[in-house]
Amino acid sequence: MIKPNKYLKAYDDQLRTDAETPSAIHVEKLDVLRLVTFAGGRGFITYRDLGSLNEDGISTLVGQALEHFRRDAQITTIEWKSRGHDHAPGLHEALLAHGFTPDEPESIMIGPLEALCSDGSTPDGVLLRQVSSDVEVRAMSEMVDEAFGDPASTRQADALLARLARNDGMELWVAETAGRMVGAGRLEPVPGTGFAGIWGGAVLEAYRGRGIYRALTAARAKSALAQGKTLAHSDSTEYSRPILERSGLVKVSTTTPYNWSR
C-alpha cells in the first residue's frame, strides 16, 4: 500500500490546486472552497480539503457556494467535485438538501506514464492523430456525445476550442477507421508537476473491444513522456478502470460529482 498512499498524497498536494482548473475563466475563494467559472455557463466547486468543518459548517458552506453561483444568471449548471477519502461529515446530505444530484462514482487512477505505452499497439486499419480545427473538434465532440449516450451539444466543443485558442497544452486525440472518427480522448499536461491527465476517453460501442481505447491512451502517454511528464492521472468509469489497471495504474480513491441545474 506504500505506492498508492504516495500517489494519493501527490494527487492531493499537486492536483487539487489551480492545476485542477487550467481553463477557468474566473476563480474565487470562499473559505476552503475554490469557486470556478468555466465557459458555457458552468460553475465548478473544488477544494484541497474541508479542514475541520463539522456538519453544520459544511451545510452552511454549501449554501453560500450555491448562492454565489445563483447570483450569476449566466451560470446554468454547477458541479461539486467530492472525493471519497476526504473527511466531510454530512456533505452528501447537505448537497442533496441544496438541490444537487450525485452522478456515479468514478475511480481516481494514478500510475507511471511508461506503463500505458507498453500495451497500446495501434489496431490494423486505425489511424491515431491530433485534431485542432473547428470542424474536427466539433465532429469529435459529437462523436463523444454519441459514445456516452448523451444528447448532441455544442457546449463541450465550444469550451475545447476556447482552450485550444489559449494554447494551455491540452491535446485532442482521435482514432479513425475508414475515414470515420470512432474514438477520442484529451491529454492535459499539468504545469509545474510530473503529472499529465488522461481524460475523456470514449469509443463508439460498435468499435469497442478492438484495442482502440488502449491505443489512444498509449498515444497520449507517449506525447506526455516526450514533454517530460512521468505520472498519469485519470477519473475512470468502470469501463475504463480495468484497462488502466492492467497497464499499471492503481486506484487511489474515488470521486463523485454532484450536479445542480438552474
Side-chain angles (χ1 to χ4, degrees), residues 53 92 146 165 229:
L53 288 170
H92 173 76
E146 180 183 349
K229 302 302 181 183

Side-chain angles (χ1 to χ4, degrees), residues 16 47-55 58 83-91:
R16 298 180 71 173
Y47 39 90
R48 168 61 175 79
D49 59 55
L50 294 172
S52 58
L53 288 170
N54 59 19
E55 292 185 21
I58 286 176
R83 277 81 167 191
H85 63 286
D86 284 345
H87 176 71
L91 176 61

Side-chain angles (χ1 to χ4, degrees), residues 19 58 95 98 107 121 131 136 148 165 170 185 190 199 208 217 231 239:
I58 286 176
L95 289 168
H98 285 87
S107 299
S121 58
V131 297
E136 290 185 322
F148 283 128
M170 179 188 69
V190 183
W199 299 107
R208 293 172 189 167
T217 301
L231 291 173
Y239 175 78

Side-chain angles (χ1 to χ4, degrees), residues 1-16 47-49 82-87 106-111 195 231-235 250-255:
M1 292 301 293
I2 295 176
K3 186 170 289 186
N5 289 341
K6 179 181 177 181
Y7 286 158
L8 182 58
K9 185 178 189 308
Y11 172 86
D12 283 337
D13 290 345
Q14 298 181 43
L15 298 180
R16 298 180 71 173
Y47 39 90
R48 168 61 175 79
D49 59 55
S82 70
R83 277 81 167 191
H85 63 286
D86 284 345
H87 176 71
E106 296 184 344
S107 299
I108 299 174
M109 307 295 293
I110 297 180
F195 279 99
L231 291 173
H233 74 104
S234 180
D235 294 346
V250 296
K251 178 179 177 179
V252 299
S253 186
T254 60
T255 178

Side-chain angles (χ1 to χ4, degrees), residues 148-164:
F148 283 128
D150 295 330
S153 169
T154 62
R155 174 178 289 185
Q156 178 70 352
D158 291 341
L160 291 174
L161 287 166
R163 286 194 61 184
L164 287 171

Side-chain angles (χ1 to χ4, degrees), residues 1 4 17 19 22-23 37 44 70-71 73 76-77 102 139 146 153 171 176 186 206 241:
M1 292 301 293
T17 64
S23 59
T37 300
F44 183 77
R70 287 176 65 98
R71 289 195 298 266
T76 58
T77 62
E146 180 183 349
S153 169
E171 297 176 2
E176 292 178 332
R186 303 192 313 276
R241 178 190 55 78

